[in-house]
Amino acid sequence: MTEPTSRRVVFVVGSGRSGTSTMAGTLRTLGLHVPQPEVVADATNPKGFGEPRWVVDLHTELLARSNVQVSDARPRAWLDTGTTSGDHATRERVTAWLEGQFDLGDELVIKDPRAAWFLGLWRAAADRCGATSSYVTMLRPVTEVVGSKQAYYGKVGAGSDQGAVTRTAAWINMMLHTERATRGQQRAFVHYADLLDDWTQPVFALGEAFDLAAVKTAMAVDIAEVHRFIDPSLRRVTMTWDDIGVPARLRELADETWQALDAIARDDSPAHQERCDQLRAAYAEDYAEAEAFAHSTVVAQRRAAAAEARREAGQAARSGADRVPHAVRAMVPPAARQKLRRVIGRERPA
């Protein structure tokens, strides 16, 4: 029989701008350890992000290697990140770092909007460290998430509608795959609004469900500190579909996804999980159709990018040639000089 372990690692997941920072900060205030140093607070999150800098840097590196964005709408992006993070060296690297963090505390909280792409990597590392993994998925209406991103991160593409479409699709992709990735694990779904209204109910329920000693034995001074930390006014964006222009089918799919996740938050049953599977398949089908419609645009952009790259390479070659001293050029035989000009693009063969 496996010996019980006091090591716990709570992963706070879900889309960015959905209350993940508030949840991570609450658990930290109650005594869970957030690995240091943390990402510094800024105007977009004045109370702090609750994100370990090492974790953010790791995920940024892995996403770059996978050619995946933080909020990526492509269903195949999950395969790409899984492939990138599955190598032995990366797993050993994460395990070693996590083991070092347990030297500082038995109960950790790790939060980063990028983490959902790499939950398999983290679960494997936690298992190697003899730690119990648990997952808190934060739920916030998609219109508020998209509206918050528009307000604090700026618009994407040529106009606000294009940004809203991209971000709505990415929310669906992120939330449905996060549900699938955490299925069968120790998990909970918490509404951001519930956390702001009365944080004690969802958080103390997590303490019991995840067997978190720091939460279950929280002192009055810690509880008072959380009351000061959570500021309901931070829910500054409360947009609706009337404020966000997206195609009807995408809006419908986003609403259905929200309803399915809300149902799982109340009853994490096989029937509700199956509904998420159906929606994930429907989203993949719709995305493939959209890609087919936009294929000509994609090809045109690739051609334009290739032409620009050739132009810049030609300019760089010509600039380099101009820096060659005249005395050096004079030492090159005429025939070789002519060949050199062709190579660097100053003279093209007929």
Side-chain angles (χ1 to χ4, degrees), residues 139 172-173 175-183 187 189 253 256-265 267-284:
L139 301 178
I172 296 172
N173 191 39
M175 297 304 294
L176 288 176
H177 278 268
T178 298
E179 186 281 320
R180 185 65 186 87
T182 58
R183 192 181 299 175
R187 70 178 184 176
F189 294 80
L253 191 55
E256 291 175 344
T257 298
W258 172 255
Q259 292 163 11
L261 293 171
D262 179 57
I264 280 186
D267 176 21
D268 197 352
S269 66
H272 292 146
Q273 294 170 7
E274 182 180 357
R275 179 55 179 155
C276 287
D277 289 338
Q278 295 169 352
L279 291 170
R280 201 170 64 255
Y283 174 75

Side-chain angles (χ1 to χ4, degrees), residues 5-10 27-28 30-35 101-102 104-110 131-132 207 210-217:
T5 177
S6 60
R7 287 182 167 186
R8 301 281 187 274
V9 55
V10 179
L27 294 176
R28 175 191 57 204
L30 292 176
L32 275 73
H33 175 62
V34 174
Q101 298 307 311
F102 280 118
L104 304 174
D106 282 343
E107 296 182 340
L108 311 179
V109 56
I110 293 179
T132 300
F210 296 166
D211 192 22
L212 301 173
V215 176
K216 293 195 296 182
T217 62

